């Protein structure tokens, strides 16, 4: 069995390419790694990929309302249906926000308005829709009896 010490450039490649966990393949092939290296990669793997949903669940549990921000240019690609299911199960209010509406054409904006009727349309630089979203969050919190709502984004 061979011991290999992996340079930091390979580590960066591993972290950048989530499908290429070479260290798991090295362990399967019987290449001996230092216990500290194995421990480090287990921690990276669990934190980056398994720990993500634990963080999301924790945020949803602590929040009074959840804001899901979607890119108006490609809302279906930025949408997370698993998050929607998690929020629905926790019986929290979900605010769907389509951001960057100033970057879409009028025809696409009309299409989005029809498709996402309950969503909020926001443009940060042009300050469009921000006050409407804030007001809706405060009204929903007041209905739930919460004076200062905690919002998970």
């Amino acid at each position: 069995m061979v011991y290999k010490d992996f340079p930091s450039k390979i580590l960066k490649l591993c972290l950048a390419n989530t499908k290429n966990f070479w260290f798991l393949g090295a362990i399967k092939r019987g290449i001996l790694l230092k216990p500290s290296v194995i421990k480090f990669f287990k921690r990276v793997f669990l934190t980056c990929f398994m720990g993500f949903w634990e963080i999301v669940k924790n945020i949803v549990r602590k929040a009074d309302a959840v804001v899901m921000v979607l890119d108006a240019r490609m809302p279906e690609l930025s949408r997370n249906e698993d998050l929607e299911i998690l929020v629905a199960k926790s019986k929290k209010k979900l605010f769907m926000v389509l951001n960057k509406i100033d970057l879409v054409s009028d025809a696409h904006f009309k299409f989005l308005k029809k498709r996402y009727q309950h969503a909020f349309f926001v443009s940060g630089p042009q300050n469009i829709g921000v006050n409407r979203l804030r007001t809706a969050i405060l009204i929903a919190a007041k209905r739930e009896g919460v004076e200062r709502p905690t919002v998970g984004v």
Side-chain angles (χ1 to χ4, degrees):
M1 303 250 169
V2 180
Y3 164 74
K4 289 192 177 181
D5 194 277
F6 299 105
S8 62
K9 285 183 181 178
I10 295 175
L11 171 63
K12 288 177 185 173
L13 285 172
C14 171
L15 294 176
N17 185 359
T18 59
K19 292 181 181 175
N20 187 15
F21 278 99
W22 53 268
F23 69 94
L24 293 176
I27 293 169
K28 282 182 181 177
R29 288 190 305 270
I31 297 172
L32 292 178
L33 301 175
K34 283 183 181 177
S36 61
V37 173
I38 293 172
K39 186 177 180 182
F40 170 76
F41 283 118
K42 279 185 179 177
R43 190 171 59 235
V44 167
F45 181 76
L46 292 174
T47 303
C48 291
F49 303 101
M50 306 306 241
F52 169 77
W53 278 109
E54 292 305 316
I55 293 169
V56 171
K57 288 176 186 176
N58 189 26
I59 289 171
V60 171
R61 189 173 6 89
K62 289 180 179 179
D64 297 310
V66 177
V67 175
M68 183 187 320
V69 181
L70 307 176
D71 190 330
R73 298 170 294 178
M74 50 187 172
E76 289 304 316
L77 291 177
S78 54
R79 190 173 184 173
N80 189 331
E81 293 175 358
D82 294 332
L83 176 63
E84 292 178 43
I85 292 168
L86 178 66
V87 173
K89 285 181 182 177
S90 64
K91 298 181 179 159
K92 305 284 175 131
K93 177 74 174 165
L94 176 68
F95 292 94
M96 193 175 293
V97 177
L98 276 83
N99 194 18
K100 301 180 183 179
I101 60 162
D102 54 325
L103 301 179
V104 299
S105 66
D106 290 336
H108 188 62
F109 181 67
K110 287 177 184 176
F111 168 76
L112 292 173
K113 279 249 193 215
K114 284 183 183 177
R115 174 116 188 209
Y116 300 97
Q117 294 177 0
H118 300 291
F120 294 87
F121 297 91
V122 175
S123 170
Q126 294 184 5
N127 198 22
I128 299 170
V130 177
N131 288 332
R132 185 171 169 255
L133 173 63
R134 183 182 303 124
T135 303
I137 291 171
L138 292 173
I139 289 171
K142 199 158 216 153
R143 287 182 183 153
E144 296 292 322
V146 178
E147 185 147 338
R148 295 191 63 176
T150 303
V151 178
V153 178

